[in-house]
Amino acid sequence: MKSLGELLIQPGPFSEIVIGNTAIVRAMVESGVRVVTSYPGSPTPEIAEAINAIPKDKNPLYFEFSTNEKVALEVAFGAAVNGFTSCVFFKSVGMNVVADSFVQLSMMEIPGGMVIVTGDDPGANSSQNEQDNRHYARLSYTPILEPKDAQEVYDMFKQAVEYSKKLRSPVILRLTTHTAHFKQKVNFGTFIPSPIGSPVFDVKNNGPYIPIAQNVPIMKRRALEKLQMWAEISEKYAFITNNGSEIGIITAGLPYLSLLDVLGENAKRVDILRLGMVYPLPRKAITEFLKKHKIVKVLEELDDFIEEKVKAIAFEERIDVRIVGKMDLEDWIGEYTPEKVYSVLSKFAPELVRNIKVPTNTMRVPSRPPQLCPGCGHRPVFYVLSKILNEKDISVADIGCHTLGFLEPYNVGQVLLSMGHSTGTASGLSMFNPDRKVVAFLGDSTFFHAGIPGIINAVFNKHNFTLVIMENGTTAMTGHQDHPGKAIKIRQILEAIGVKHIWEVDTYQQDKLEEVLRTALETKEFNVVIAKHPCMLKFTRERRRKGVIKVPQMKVTNRCTLAGVCITKFACPSFQRADDGSIFVHEDLCIGDGSCMIVCPSEALEFEKVESGGDAK
């Protein structure tokens, strides 16, 4: 059986069952993409995994994880204006990070072609909001394609490259969590390796590339002229199912598949216009569709992006049709799964779904709250801080695994905005606040991503709070990707910035950790504690790959007094209570790290003996 990497570069054509994130990599290979950049974030990390699965000596793609999304976009742009087809991908809120540079792209001539893949997250499965990035397309005059499944992810990416190179313009391919992970049998085309090509950066013939006052009108006019061309192309992405009904439904992306699931045979009772390009919209197709129906429902996830334009077209064309969009606040929230679409249609036309039984999960599933992994080096930090912080003290969270510190029993981290915000927010909270200690958190990957400017600001403006940098050596939450900390020491950067008070401590050394944190919190000046310990999930996975499976686990001895600190305060999920109230260690969860031993007031924890051949290191 071929490996994933070999599969992605085989000559083809062939068919294979893959997810959308994998299909897009084959589309890159076939389309002649040369440069791919990213900052990791769900639901897109599997794109990077698939790229990295290709053997290095055979990989036609240059790929890098950049320090943040903005830098990733700029690297891809630089390659594309030099004639090399490029792609940048990131999660939904990454679009906020790239925005400052992104909004200029449509005004530039991009001879190599450039595709921006955004992984939007209806339902906020792994994001802090349900941001709808279609608005960025309209803001920047950038076309946006929206596939419904893995096959269309592949097809539309290839088409996006083709049109991007033809119009020398950027294109957005908008995935959502479900299309990124949609698994199906995808029909792939042929891959014929080609030479890299020569650089073509040419300001004289392709510029201007400097958006200053005298150039902006020229560049904006060029962007608008291209947008008119994209509007003509969008007519090719208007897919109509005509059953001669008076009822029409306009939809796009995954909600279309949910609609078909819900309607079943009743799909024959309505006409459907599915949009493959959601900006600019196919005005001619929408106009004709509205003219043929008495009532039209706009079915879309998140915001009323399509609905607003459809209503505007009906008004401008003076079409006598009733258009129904979102009917209450619930229509704006959550993924448009079949259950959700059933609810939305029930309010619009209950007769369409009256005799339909929507599939629901009737199995009772126990709740599974998010929690830190067994052995996580962040846990001792939160455990110690939960002991030494007063109720009036303030703790500021940031993005990463350590965000989970806000949960019971730690209750550490009370406010969160975005990656790297913690130092700026903590600076503001520390002002005019002499009696309340302020502590902020920052992951090591986030430090390089967006944390450094806030630290510089805190030093320059002499803010008074403690910053705890949680250094675990990886971008853990999104799948253990590397970051610059592999080569650049955080302490050296802090010293160069001018931070006077810096402590480094391994979080498993809890006595020393507590001493350091108490000292830091009493320091009347900005200070940093680098709380270090490798990500234990990554560590144990690497150990298993090396064949070291059996490790010495913890056990609860008869000295246990049932104080329950291991469960209620330290909160390692390996510790559980039996029906009789006794405490035991779950063997499937414990990794034998021993970080729990110091917290037990009765010293009832110790390592089990390991059979020969075991290895705890």
Side-chain angles (χ1 to χ4, degrees), residues 316-555:
E316 291 162 2
E317 300 291 339
R318 299 184 179 182
I319 302 171
D320 184 15
V321 59
R322 182 186 169 211
I323 299 170
V324 180
K326 297 185 182 296
M327 300 177 70
D328 57 39
L329 290 179
E330 290 305 310
D331 289 358
W332 295 71
I333 301 169
E335 294 177 278
Y336 271 44
T337 60
E339 294 86 352
K340 180 78 173 186
V341 169
Y342 179 88
S343 172
V344 172
L345 289 182
S346 295
K347 292 178 286 188
F348 162 64
E351 68 277 6
L352 286 177
V353 296
R354 183 171 293 130
N355 298 318
I356 295 174
K357 185 176 181 181
V358 67
T360 57
N361 185 3
T362 57
M363 181 184 298
R364 185 170 180 177
V365 179
S367 62
R368 188 186 177 195
Q371 57 188 328
L372 297 172
C373 300
C376 178
H378 300 339
R379 181 175 285 106
V381 177
F382 296 134
Y383 172 68
V384 169
L385 282 172
S386 66
K387 291 194 301 179
I388 65 179
L389 288 177
N390 296 321
E391 284 189 8
K392 67 178 182 178
D393 294 333
I394 301 170
S395 52
V396 184
D398 213 289
I399 298 293
C401 298
H402 55 88
T403 308
L404 299 177
F406 89 95
L407 297 172
E408 296 284 352
Y410 317 114
N411 301 308
V412 176
Q414 300 157 307
V415 59
L416 174 66
L417 290 177
S418 61
M419 290 190 75
H421 90 101
S422 60
T423 49
T425 300
S427 295
L429 283 164
S430 68
M431 296 165 66
F432 317 114
N433 207 0
D435 299 323
R436 303 177 73 181
K437 295 180 176 65
V438 178
V439 57
F441 300 91
L442 199 64
D444 49 353
S445 183
T446 306
F447 171 84
F448 291 103
H449 174 283
I452 296 174
I455 296 172
I456 293 173
N457 182 76
V459 172
F460 177 68
N461 288 301
K462 297 181 173 57
H463 293 294
N464 176 23
F465 66 95
T466 295
L467 172 64
V468 181
I469 297 178
M470 313 286 261
E471 184 178 352
N472 61 9
T474 187
T475 310
M477 178 169 273
T478 53
H480 304 124
Q481 296 86 2
D482 285 341
H483 60 63
K486 193 172 183 178
I488 304 169
K489 299 301 180 186
I490 292 175
R491 184 178 190 118
Q492 292 175 348
I493 295 176
L494 294 174
E495 290 172 343
I497 288 171
V499 180
K500 296 178 183 178
H501 308 285
I502 306 170
W503 296 269
E504 291 185 78
V505 58
D506 189 306
T507 63
Y508 273 23
Q509 297 178 302
Q510 287 187 44
D511 289 341
K512 183 178 179 182
L513 174 66
E514 183 170 344
E515 177 187 339
V516 164
L517 286 171
R518 287 186 183 277
T519 302
L521 288 167
E522 293 300 326
T523 301
K524 302 301 182 183
E525 194 172 11
F526 176 68
N527 61 86
V528 178
V529 175
I530 305 174
K532 307 171 70 168
H533 199 80
C535 171
M536 294 304 288
L537 179 60
K538 182 174 185 286
F539 176 75
T540 53
R541 284 178 175 174
E542 290 173 348
R543 185 164 52 183
R544 289 192 185 100
R545 282 195 287 268
K546 294 176 181 177
V548 182
I549 306 298
K550 183 64 176 175
V551 296
Q553 296 188 317
M554 306 309 301
K555 70 174 182 178

Side-chain angles (χ1 to χ4, degrees), residues 172-458:
I172 300 171
L173 183 68
R174 179 178 183 255
L175 309 183
T176 60
T177 300
H178 269 84
T179 49
H181 298 144
F182 196 108
K183 181 177 280 190
Q184 73 178 131
K185 191 171 188 178
V186 177
N187 298 315
F188 296 117
T190 302
F191 166 49
I192 302 174
S194 59
I196 290 178
S198 302
V200 299
F201 184 64
D202 184 349
V203 175
K204 182 178 180 181
N205 293 308
N206 295 333
Y209 287 117
I210 305 294
I212 58 175
Q214 66 189 53
N215 290 339
V216 166
I218 300 169
M219 299 171 77
K220 183 175 180 179
R221 185 172 295 107
R222 185 166 63 188
L224 292 171
E225 288 171 350
K226 289 183 181 180
L227 194 63
Q228 291 179 331
M229 299 179 196
W230 283 112
E232 289 298 317
I233 293 170
S234 73
E235 300 292 339
K236 301 177 182 179
Y237 289 91
F239 308 106
I240 298 175
T241 303
N242 191 351
N243 294 309
S245 174
E246 293 182 343
I247 302 174
I249 298 177
I250 299 176
T251 189
L254 197 74
Y256 169 74
L257 298 181
S258 293
L259 174 65
L260 296 184
D261 278 352
V262 169
L263 290 180
E265 287 296 314
N266 280 352
K268 298 176 182 177
R269 298 174 56 187
V270 299
D271 295 345
I272 302 173
L273 169 57
R274 179 174 72 86
L275 304 172
M277 183 176 284
V278 294
Y279 183 81
L281 290 174
R283 186 183 184 95
K284 296 174 187 175
I286 291 173
T287 299
E288 291 304 309
F289 191 79
L290 294 177
K291 286 179 178 179
K292 293 178 181 178
H293 298 90
K294 290 186 176 181
I295 182 169
V296 170
K297 171 68 176 175
V298 180
L299 184 74
E300 60 180 323
E301 282 179 317
L302 303 183
D303 298 344
D304 55 348
F305 184 84
I306 297 172
E307 176 188 336
E308 282 188 348
K309 186 60 178 176
V310 168
K311 287 179 176 177
I313 290 172
F315 175 80
E316 291 162 2
E317 300 291 339
R318 299 184 179 182
I319 302 171
D320 184 15
V321 59
R322 182 186 169 211
I323 299 170
V324 180
K326 297 185 182 296
M327 300 177 70
D328 57 39
L329 290 179
E330 290 305 310
D331 289 358
W332 295 71
I333 301 169
E335 294 177 278
Y336 271 44
T337 60
E339 294 86 352
K340 180 78 173 186
V341 169
Y342 179 88
S343 172
V344 172
L345 289 182
S346 295
K347 292 178 286 188
F348 162 64
E351 68 277 6
L352 286 177
V353 296
R354 183 171 293 130
N355 298 318
I356 295 174
K357 185 176 181 181
V358 67
T360 57
N361 185 3
T362 57
M363 181 184 298
R364 185 170 180 177
V365 179
S367 62
R368 188 186 177 195
Q371 57 188 328
L372 297 172
C373 300
C376 178
H378 300 339
R379 181 175 285 106
V381 177
F382 296 134
Y383 172 68
V384 169
L385 282 172
S386 66
K387 291 194 301 179
I388 65 179
L389 288 177
N390 296 321
E391 284 189 8
K392 67 178 182 178
D393 294 333
I394 301 170
S395 52
V396 184
D398 213 289
I399 298 293
C401 298
H402 55 88
T403 308
L404 299 177
F406 89 95
L407 297 172
E408 296 284 352
Y410 317 114
N411 301 308
V412 176
Q414 300 157 307
V415 59
L416 174 66
L417 290 177
S418 61
M419 290 190 75
H421 90 101
S422 60
T423 49
T425 300
S427 295
L429 283 164
S430 68
M431 296 165 66
F432 317 114
N433 207 0
D435 299 323
R436 303 177 73 181
K437 295 180 176 65
V438 178
V439 57
F441 300 91
L442 199 64
D444 49 353
S445 183
T446 306
F447 171 84
F448 291 103
H449 174 283
I452 296 174
I455 296 172
I456 293 173
N457 182 76

Side-chain angles (χ1 to χ4, degrees), residues 556-564 577 583 600-604:
V556 181
T557 69
N558 56 13
R559 293 192 296 273
C560 178
T561 59
L562 301 181
R577 285 192 187 274
I583 296 173
C600 180
S602 55
E603 298 182 350

